[in-house]
Amino acid sequence: MSQALTDLQGVGPRLQERLSELGIHAVEDLLFHLPLRYEDRTHLHAIGAVRPGTRVLIEGEVEHSAIVRGRRSMLVVVLSDGTGRVNLRFFHFRAHQKTQLARGATLRCFGEVRAGYQGLEMVHPSYTRIVPGRETPVADRLTPIYPSAEGLGQNTWIRLTDQALSALSAGKLELEELLPEGMTRNLRLPSLAEAITYIHRPPPDADVTALTERNHPAQHRLAMEELLAHNVSMQRLHRRQRARSAPALPAETESEQKFLSRLPFDLTRAQLRVRDEITSDLSQSHPMQRLVHGDVGSGKTVVAALAALRAMGNGYQVAIMAPTEILAEQHLRVFSEWLLPMGIEPIWLSSKVTGKARTAALEALATDAPIAIGTHALMQEGVAFRRLGLVIVDEQHRFGVHQRMALLEKGSDGSGQPHQLIMTATPIPRTLAMTAYAGLEVSVIDELPAGRKPVTTVAVGNERRGEVIRRVAAACGEERQAYWVCTLIEESDAIQAQAAEAVAQDLRERLDELNIGLVHGRMKAAEKQAVMQDFERGNIHLLVATTVIEVGVDVPNASLMIIENAERLGLAQLHQLRGRVGRGAVQSSCVLLYTAPLGDLARQRLDIMRQTSDGFRIAEKDLELRGPGEVLGTRQTGMLQFRVADLARDAHLLQRIPAVADSLLKHHPEQVDKLIKRWVGDASRFAGV
Ligand code: ADP
Ligand code: MG
């Protein structure tokens, strides 16, 4: 039973359209538009007893009111309730507010009380004028604050959800229970309608802290459902993929053997095991859906190359997609080195390949080029493969599911699909594996090549920068090479580039005996490539770089890394960066250069970096300190947006999910559809799959 939004009071075509932009199409959807937080306006606080820093409801009489002229005029109103005084400050105000808030008026205000220079103050409180003698009751429920969009005020959300909740309680709207009964009973979770009602309108005695932290049973109830929905949606997606047909590639090719015999090293046991897992998938007539997960430097590329050779040796095309230009270029270099001697020339495709070069590349892919390497550009419109048999996606968490699927579609001829190999270095905590990657087979390269020595890591305050620079000079004097990474968070490429240029300039002045190179995201691909090549060949001693070198860059002789402003970076990023050293035979070190004073979180991050190089431990800690969105990099991709669930906080709920998900998929496919529709939203995002 679904009610149209326009059945509600106050919803005309304009509002309906706004809501629809937010994914709200029916009254039921309003019930799933959940508050972000709550305010307690259920009782009045005595001004004299208010603690600064709290958000409270107060009431009092205006003692004094004046416009204070300064650089900006401000309306200041002194409010008193007999127990104390508070200054209300309005930086934006209209003329009529001066009269409305004149001496003698009784006001009820809600806002944060702060300790100001002249006693307690509230800046821009929300307020109502109380008519003396007329009963004005306080709220009887906690006030929900909804996530909103421009032009939609909190009052609108209250008005809309009020109507939706009344429809629910009057039985005019039914919320179908989609969780198996056994599950809610075992976990002692409330029913869906109870949970929803509680979360929208918590009673005055509700535990606001638990609610704010989304740690209330009512929220667990919804989180459970949401996590389950994401799990089944990913599983179903991957199952459907697997049900399609793909070219079976059972026999080892000559080129694989040749490649192995030419490698200057033996594969580790872990690499061999994962290679076998992959080739066993490839020999099936259904598309492989495998995630290969191995810490930075574990040697995923060789394994990917073997899979690529298997496909090419059987006459199928291969596409390798990486999230950044610099990483894709790195693959291009490595694969060219391996493949050119076998007479195979990779086709390069990035968004910077344009004009004739692009036309030529596209033509080659549409005819007989065996392998393409590139960025997002590979999955864009206009790119067509003749016979795509294998798609390799590196560092996949940077791509959204739909991007990965779009590339697969390039090889789809209606019935068949290419095999898919996903490689990621970001260690995935189990909790994430159970949602974002549900339904993929997982291989782990859990062993580093022999002879790798853990990187010695120190944290050094910026006041000892001179010392660090001398250390760089000493290392480079001994034929070692070093990275100097300049980091600025959430600034544009241009600003990052400027900062890196300034650092390079300064270091060149101080270290004029060294050859210092510079790479940043604003350089042309060819320039970047030239610098990287010089560094790889040892012509550059010290490479100053922005975080563009974060992923994939591989120069074994580089054994010292300085990371500037390390305190501003997250753990995943620090781990990735540090993974650029420690790849050769010499003992490597990493200097985390920070600017004091360190905040608590920053100190914890630097400590963990000093203590361990174990990617899993670092990832778990990262999840704990920052939350999963950051770990997966979903801020860029929007891939995993939970409304209620939080993978770090709700880890305990996840245990139950796989079993329930399996049983739902097997026995209640219709519930699965509804769950996905309710929580993951419009399933057509993944349509065509
Ligand atoms: P990642 O897993 O981070 O992508 P790479 O595939 O770039 O790691 O490998 C890192 C480095 O280790 C490369 O220089 C690669 O040639 C080398 N390497 C890979 N496998 C082995 C091995 N079994 N023994 C020695 N070196 C290896
Ligand atoms: Mg790699």
Side-chain angles (χ1 to χ4, degrees), residues 265-268 271 295-301 449 452 554 583:
F265 47 75
D266 291 328
L267 296 189
T268 62
Q271 283 171 314
D295 209 344
V296 187
S298 61
K300 295 182 288 295
T301 322
R452 293 278 167 84
D554 182 27
R583 295 179 159 237

Side-chain angles (χ1 to χ4, degrees), residues 297 300-301 327 331 394-395 423 425 551-552 580 583:
K300 295 182 288 295
T301 322
L327 178 55
H331 282 312
D394 198 3
E395 306 292 346
M423 301 193 287
V551 279
R580 301 306 111 211
R583 295 179 159 237

Side-chain angles (χ1 to χ4, degrees), residues 549-628:
I549 63 147
E550 182 187 338
V551 279
V553 173
D554 182 27
V555 180
N557 192 49
S559 59
L560 173 61
M561 170 170 283
I562 318 296
I563 305 178
E564 279 211 60
N565 299 318
E567 79 278 8
R568 297 196 208 157
L569 295 190
L571 277 172
Q573 211 174 6
L574 287 170
H575 180 62
Q576 284 285 341
L577 283 169
R578 185 173 59 180
R580 301 306 111 211
V581 290
R583 295 179 159 237
V586 277
Q587 172 67 54
S588 294
S589 28
C590 175
V591 177
L592 305 172
L593 204 53
Y594 66 83
T595 309
L598 279 182
D600 187 37
L601 278 182
R603 178 175 306 279
Q604 286 190 55
R605 287 199 295 260
L606 298 187
D607 280 348
I608 198 92
M609 287 301 292
R610 286 195 294 120
Q611 288 159 13
T612 185
S613 53
D614 176 346
F616 277 96
R617 259 198 74 198
I618 291 175
E620 294 287 355
K621 190 75 189 174
D622 199 22
L623 190 60
E624 185 187 313
L625 295 181
R626 295 210 301 181

Side-chain angles (χ1 to χ4, degrees), residues 363-469:
E363 213 169 274
L365 297 182
T367 51
D368 52 7
I371 181 165
I373 299 178
T375 57
H376 300 81
L378 281 171
M379 50 137 213
Q380 276 156 6
E381 258 185 67
V383 183
F385 290 82
R386 185 179 58 89
R387 215 169 168 229
L388 186 58
L390 171 66
V391 162
I392 298 174
V393 184
D394 198 3
E395 306 292 346
Q396 98 82 217
H397 68 275
R398 304 282 184 102
F399 292 110
V401 178
H402 39 292
Q403 292 173 310
R404 183 152 62 79
M405 294 299 155
L407 183 53
L408 285 182
E409 286 305 306
K410 300 273 178 206
S412 165
D413 60 4
S415 62
Q417 272 297 92
H419 295 284
Q420 163 170 222
L421 182 65
I422 299 159
M423 301 193 287
T424 179
T426 299
I428 313 156
R430 267 179 62 72
T431 46
L432 289 181
M434 226 181 280
T435 44
Y437 299 110
L440 289 174
E441 308 287 343
V442 179
S443 291
V444 186
I445 306 185
D446 49 6
E447 180 185 5
L448 292 180
R452 293 278 167 84
K453 300 190 185 96
V455 180
T456 315
T457 302
V458 291
V460 172
N462 202 29
E463 69 281 358
R464 287 164 59 198
R465 196 180 176 88
E467 223 174 282
V468 173
I469 292 174

Side-chain angles (χ1 to χ4, degrees), residues 109 153 181 185 194 206 208 212 218 310 336 344 361 380 395 450 571 591 599 614-615 641 666 680:
C109 305
E181 210 190 304
R185 204 178 38 231
E194 281 165 356
V208 190
T212 308
R310 171 74 54 104
S336 299
I344 301 171
Q380 276 156 6
E395 306 292 346
L571 277 172
V591 177
D614 176 346
Q641 300 261 323
K666 225 177 265 150
V680 185

